[in-house]
Amino acid sequence: MTQEAPLQRFTNASHYVLDDELARIVNVSMALELPLLLKGEPGTGKTRLAHAIADSLGMPLIVLNVKSSMKLVDALYQYDTLTRLNDSRFSDSSRDVSRIEDYIRMGRIGQAFTAEQRVVLLIDEIDKADTDFQDDMLDVLDQMQFDIMEIDKTVTARHRPVVIITSNAKKDLSDPFLGRCNFHHIAFPEADMMRRIVAVHFPGLDEQLVDACLAAFYRLRDLEGVEKKPATRELLNWLRALLVDPDVDATALAEGRLPYLGILFKKSADLEAAQMQALA
Amino acid sequence: MFRPFFYALRERGVMVSPTAFLRLQRALSMGLVQSLDDLYTVARTVLVKSERDFDAYDQLFAEHFADEAAAGASSADLDQKLREKIAQWLKKPKKPATSVEPGAEQLERMSPEELEQYYHDRLDDQVGEHHGGRKWIGTAGVSPVGHSGQRPGGMRIGGISRNRSAMQVALERRYRDYSRDKSLTRGQVGEALKRLRHLIPAGPHDALNIDATIYQTMRNGGEIELVFDRRLADRLKVILLIDNGGWSMETHVPTVQTLFNHARNQFQNLDIHYFHNTIHERVWNDPERVHSPIPFEQLLARDPQSRLIVVGDASMAPEELLHAGPSYTLRRVSKQASIERLQAMAKAFRHAVWLNPLSPSLWPYGQTINLIRQTFPMFPLSLDGLERAVEHLMHS
């Protein structure tokens, strides 16, 4: 087995708090040239990780936001038939109507393959798409090439992109899919980790306030009968709201007077439950 | 060393594919694994594909890498090349962190007798001094005996114990809550809901959408492009019967109620009824089982396409299930034995399951559980059980 030129290693990036375990997993996936599948509840920083990797490796980031109706070919390339039809009728464009290639536009995966330099390709929320899409996509990523049928041309990746795939676990992914990825589940950050995350976003925040907020936040997450628990994103927004309100102080929070619960709980039933139980 | 681990994982139901296993070997040979911590993380990310298996992995990792060293059986299995590699990486000692006195919990991992036995065995085997290794006694190794090693649960021979290692992390069982076989808890309602989402009928893509077809054909410059939609299927009706009598059910009832209430708008119709132990002449609409009874016959006359889900521990005195006629212990007089009613229900509703919060390991010991299992397909009330139950409801 040939060792590649010095492995590019991913360490840390600003605005993303990384634990060692995760850094190790990212490095291993890059070395093994396997896509890394990240699962975890919303708000655990799956998407942000890709941004951080791109940042720290100095590679451009290409994001493919998967939609439920998406077909694989949309992610690879598009054949703009409408423009071609238009051009052939009015012939006032600089494109050559007889050259189909002029009407092929690269999709996100295509862009990642044809990019001048190595890129980070983030495939966000893969679980939204159907199984066929997932399996076919991995075939493409495995072989690092795809065919453009209309012009009978094969696009091969110039540089193997670093592929990060995220899933919210709405649907289970198929076994063949899982078999071709490295897997990591990002657990919800614990209080210590969360403190570091908060510190990154709000440097120099009053310690007492942070303590009180985090205590309240984790208490609220443990409430019974809540369907959508508040996540990191909600916590940060909540903190932002608390910071602009001059009336908020740590002691009030510690006593259980919690304003702006609506930021933390996005469903009305959850909000009611939280308000009931927070008062009790 | 790795092969038994691989098979142990498979035995525990963690479906590790040979490809993944080879991939791990590749990672090892590429020098990506520099310590036991690395091994823990790398092996997990490469081998295990679901957070629900992380707990099993943690347990096996701790169990396996401790047991095997203790048994001394590894040498025959250990691939020579791999052994060199691993010996190599263990020679780079990690820098000592703040010293921690080993807690009682750490000592529990290997019984004192085992440790002592191992220690003596190694003394017999060992020739010469040794630093860094995973089996011999020495310093800075991961053998369970020696000092300043990275293996917790080991016996300290002088020296001080080091910082957290993979073994400790594994033994913490951080992923216990995600484990497949644990009984459902409040905290898992969200996760369980996702399992229930499959409880939705889906027709095949076979209804021609004319408007879209015309539009797409135009877009295609006249080339005909057919667009198919999913055939509409009616949403499901669900009948949920909950056994809310008896302390054994107490902790599970609110979880189940929350779960299905959250999923309510996904169904055309969700009826929740209550019963105690088993079903006799009636079930109740109110949890107190006093105010609004529903006669059994009425329950039976519901839409046979409804999905029937019974939640109960199926544990009771056998006569309560089998006896018909006047009863001495119970207030009721039943014309029909309860088991016959259950059978009638299982016949009336083609799609029916029984969810049991008791651990499946206990099922063989319950007489009434066995009887009911013959009537209803029974699944444990866990994430995994729920998933299988939903599958059964949709495909039976």
Side-chain angles (χ1 to χ4, degrees), chain A residues 114-166:
Chain A
T114 51
E116 294 290 327
Q117 62 175 118
R118 201 173 179 203
V119 298
V120 176
L121 174 62
L122 168 66
I123 297 165
D124 213 3
E125 306 194 26
I126 183 73
D127 50 329
K128 279 189 190 163
D130 56 12
T131 327
D132 289 349
F133 177 93
Q134 296 166 7
D135 292 350
D136 295 350
M137 189 190 73
L138 274 187
D139 274 339
V140 170
L141 293 181
D142 233 19
Q143 288 154 15
M144 281 291 147
Q145 63 178 43
F146 61 87
D147 298 328
I148 298 177
M149 266 187 297
E150 284 80 358
I151 52 174
D152 199 17
K153 192 181 136 190
T154 304
V155 177
T156 311
R158 299 168 68 175
H159 307 277
R160 187 177 264 272
V162 177
V163 184
I164 309 284
I165 303 171
T166 72

Side-chain angles (χ1 to χ4, degrees), chain A residues 1 3 21 24-25 28 31-32 34 39 81 85 169 172 178-179 181-185 224-225 227, chain B residues 23 26 30 37-38 41-42 44-46 48-49 51-52 54 174 178 186 193-194 219 262 387:
Chain A
M1 213 137 318
Q3 182 89 14
E21 195 177 34
R24 209 176 285 153
I25 287 170
V28 166
L32 288 177
L34 281 172
K39 246 167 107 178
T81 43
L85 187 65
D172 273 351
L178 292 172
C181 296
N182 275 346
F183 174 79
H184 184 58
H185 178 267
E224 295 200 337
E227 191 191 339
Chain B
R23 211 172 273 153
R26 195 152 73 89
M30 282 170 81
D37 295 16
D38 282 354
T41 324
V42 172
R44 197 187 65 201
T45 189
V46 173
V48 186
K49 305 294 182 186
E51 71 277 13
R52 277 170 272 152
F54 278 11
R174 292 172 296 166
Y178 296 103
R186 273 319 251 293
L193 266 176
K194 288 166 196 160
R219 261 189 78 94
H262 277 312
E387 195 171 328

Side-chain angles (χ1 to χ4, degrees), chain B residues 296 299-306 308 341-352:
Chain B
F296 176 73
L299 183 66
L300 213 54
R302 298 268 170 84
D303 181 354
Q305 280 302 312
S306 298
L308 177 70
R341 292 185 194 272
L342 291 182
Q343 279 157 0
M345 274 169 58
K347 217 168 136 191
F349 299 102
R350 206 158 59 82
H351 308 282

